[in-house]
Amino acid sequence: MREDKPLVYVVAAERSGDLLGAGLIRAMRAKCGSDIAFRGMGGEAMAEEGVPTTVSIDGLSILGFFDGLKAYGRIKERVAEVVADILIHKPQAVVLIDSWGFMLRVAQGVRAQDPSIKLIKYVGPQVFATRPGRAKTLAGAVDHLMTILSFDARYYEPHGLPVTFVGNPTLDRIEPGDGAGFRSRHGIASDAQTLLVLFGSRKSEIDRVGPAFMDTLKRLTAARELTPIIVVAGAVKAHLSPRLDQARQEFGAVIVEEEEKTDAFAAADIALACSGTVVTELATAGVPTVTAYKLGWLTWAIIRAFGVMKAPFISLVNIAANEMLVPEFVQTRCRGDLLAVEVSALLDDPKRRERLHTELAAATDKLRGEGDASENAAQRVCELSGAAVAYWRRSLGRRASFLEVKEPSLPSDITASVFGDVRAEIPGEIWPSFKGKPLRPLCQLNVAQAPFRPKIISDLSMISVFIAEEFWEAGGYLDIEDATRPPNAAFYVRVYRSLDGLVPVHAPEHGSVLSPHTASWMSAAGLDYPSHDLLPGPALTDLEDVMERSWPSTREGVKLGGWPYCVQSEPFWKREHLDKRFEHVLQIDSEEKSGWMWGDMGCASLARSSTQPNYWALDWQCH
């Protein structure tokens, strides 16, 4: 069943993907508000964004061939559950985050039964490092790849898979922490040496690197004064509990949860971390780090035997820098004695730590995209799904007040809005002229009574517009400050900051054939939109039929604010006179009741300069 509003289904199978999903959902809500709905499978972070999981992700954080075999039955069951839920709710798009094996099966399951659902992979497998054949496999399973690595496109695009580099959200998540405050809260002296320890976010990782990390702490605390700080991911806290108790009792470790992670980063002299996303986070914060990793022995043997691993490093930071900024201890080198030596060397070399602080930050800059990565990803998902309409509606909708032209009679209040006449002026005001002939009154608009006024005219209460008999010559801009001189264009604008003291106009014979009509503003302002074919974003060509069916029209008629109906170039004066920064104020449409026509049923746009408010501009076009 399709939802009333665009539905995006987000799938994350482990902690890092859950965080990416939460950031994406948050950014899409900021862009689309209530115009978009979410459903999905994830963890605590996505649930905090109001998207509780439809399928449990417990036991799905798996790495390695043989770990996957052992969990195959569980994976197959969860894949079937999430595919079934997707097919029931028929979202406009499904975003599949990281977790290669699980997401591939979900994509294939959905594609086989409903090819109309847009499938978007968020974070591709690292084919630059291992198993390049996965690029072709992914290209056959999904419609688009959003990557966090700037160099990914060259591996996927040759197989026909469109790729968008959105940047790395990890780099946006890390904010400066309060190291001094952290030390004070936990009773750590300001000059005490600290070692931040991160065991990983998967149970299998903890089981494999945990013994080496504990041995490292034992050796270091026996040899020197050192305060270990351990940050624990909530999903593995219970699994890590025995080691946490030992570290607290035997090594004097300070144990904190993820809420204090950035402060712990700031308080740390160096870090010892299981390889993964957290190493990139530490590099972003400039924390010198030693990393380690260990696979199952059978998986490791296959990798070694078949030369599966192509990259010289396992850490993205080292790959980006093309050098070993973060010392890596993999498999047989993941040992307490080796790690303790490397950590001690860093602790004893403050100059090296200072240099690494700078070099790590520079390396992570190479991984950044332009702007906020989650916002970039959100925009792309919007563009690739029906949510594009909601996104651009929210981004481009402009408030406007709409005028109703009513009876062919005039109210007693001379300051009321009328079309086809001008009825009030300042005593002694000179009637504008063009080529020696009086201009004709076109309309008088009491903008103080409008439910919405654009900010550019917030200082005005009334606007009166005049037009020449030779209206086709109207266009361009003029300075209205000196009303004693005739204007140099075939139109004129009178503006009034106050209605006090206005008197009935003293009009010369101007030859107008218009029929004056009472006019009034509709009681509520509304949103106005540009033509759908002017929307930015190259991907919108995929959605032309969606746009034509569901994009709201630009409103016709006389309106204050909004978008000009005919002159959708945001007229020529915006391009040619950038120093004056004209902003659209008022649309004046052809008005049959009063007998006014801009050529063949055209309309005009009136604008004011934001830098020189006495300058006004007019442009008009036929339909």
Side-chain angles (χ1 to χ4, degrees), residues 166-186:
V166 297
N168 193 327
T170 299
L171 308 184
D172 298 325
R173 285 201 299 263
I174 300 301
E175 298 179 355
D178 179 7
F182 181 92
R183 285 177 177 251
S184 177
R185 285 196 304 275
H186 296 286

Side-chain angles (χ1 to χ4, degrees), residues 205-220:
E205 291 174 337
I206 293 169
D207 291 341
R208 288 177 183 141
V209 305
F213 280 20
M214 294 299 286
D215 186 34
T216 303
L217 289 178
K218 181 179 180 180
R219 291 171 182 270
L220 290 171

Side-chain angles (χ1 to χ4, degrees), residues 371-508:
D372 181 273
S374 291
E375 290 181 6
N376 294 339
Q379 178 171 328
R380 201 67 178 119
V381 173
C382 286
E383 290 172 348
L384 289 167
S385 68
V389 175
Y391 168 65
W392 292 119
R393 280 177 68 111
R394 188 172 180 84
S395 299
L396 298 179
R398 293 180 179 175
R399 295 191 71 198
S401 296
F402 305 98
L403 191 77
E404 289 185 291
V405 177
K406 297 183 174 179
E407 302 82 13
S409 60
L410 296 177
S412 58
D413 181 3
I414 63 170
T415 66
S417 296
V418 295
F419 198 97
D421 202 2
V422 169
R423 304 185 62 224
E425 65 182 7
I426 296 171
E429 211 167 358
I430 304 299
W431 193 271
S433 61
F434 177 70
K435 293 184 177 179
K437 294 188 293 185
L439 293 178
R440 296 175 173 183
L442 182 58
C443 59
Q444 171 182 291
L445 302 177
N446 187 324
V447 297
Q449 294 177 344
F452 166 75
R453 268 184 296 180
K455 187 176 180 180
I456 189 73
I457 60 163
S458 59
D459 61 323
L460 303 182
S461 295
M462 192 166 76
I463 299 172
S464 296
V465 182
F466 300 81
I467 195 75
E469 181 180 0
E470 304 90 339
F471 71 88
W472 52 87
E473 296 187 37
Y477 69 100
L478 54 86
D479 182 353
I480 66 166
E481 194 169 65
D482 186 356
T484 62
R485 294 184 295 103
N488 60 357
F491 75 99
Y492 197 76
V493 182
R494 283 179 174 176
V495 299
Y496 302 92
R497 288 174 172 77
S498 170
L499 303 180
D500 295 338
L502 297 184
V503 299
V505 296
H506 182 71

